[in-house]
Amino acid sequence: MTTSVDQDDLLLARVMAGVPPESPAEAAARAPYERLVARLRPTGTARPGWQARVHARLQVERDRERGRRRWLIGGGLALAAAAAAAVVLSWPHRPAPRSGVAMTVFTTAGAPRRGSGAVGDTLHVEVPQTARFTELRVYRNGELVRRCPGDDGCEERAGALALTLRITALGRYRTLALSSADPVPPPARLGAGGLDADTLAARSAGARVDQGDVVLVQP
């Protein structure tokens, strides 16, 4: 089942990748993102790295919009949940699906950190190898900084893929775990959409895409 978050991610990825809408319904749904991209896109001579700044702002605006939608519908959902509680409790219990992406941030002293990270910390990511082709990618502000297999810090264990990365710059770090029976598409070139373009390409190729939690590294 595709959630509203998945739909938002896909719409934003298609906008950032320059893919035209496939239907009037999609055009209407992605219109807010297109207006936001048009407003944030620099005019004239752009300074280097503007794509990363636009992507980071898009993430903030998107999360803010999701929070607003949740607040608006929260009362109605709470009422409906209370009315249906007896029915739900009678259903067979099924555990909620998990992304399978295990992320831990360690301080320079080697202790697990809670909350935001800091420059000098170490990010450790691990995912089970459930398909013939499994790949881990770490992005900072939407741009790829490390992938596994292929880069330093990558380790293949029994049935798992692990990646260790020392955090050397501020930003918003996010991990993608890609799993497929066929080779997954290569990452987009720098400035060509990064995280969103790679997510869209992998899903279009039939790969499973799991996202880890966001690690925010601030001054």
Side-chain angles (χ1 to χ4, degrees), residues 10 12 16 24 42 50 61 65 79 98 118 142 170 182 196 205 207:
L10 184 58
L12 181 56
M16 293 295 290
W50 71 267
E61 294 286 349
E65 175 63 18
L79 182 61
R98 301 179 59 186
L170 305 177
D182 302 307
D196 293 322

Side-chain angles (χ1 to χ4, degrees), residues 3-38:
T3 66
S4 60
V5 173
D6 291 334
Q7 292 172 348
D8 286 347
D9 287 340
L10 184 58
L11 288 174
L12 181 56
R14 290 174 66 83
V15 171
M16 293 295 290
V19 178
E22 295 181 346
S23 67
E26 181 186 343
R30 61 189 273 178
Y33 291 126
E34 291 177 335
R35 289 195 296 269
L36 185 58
V37 171

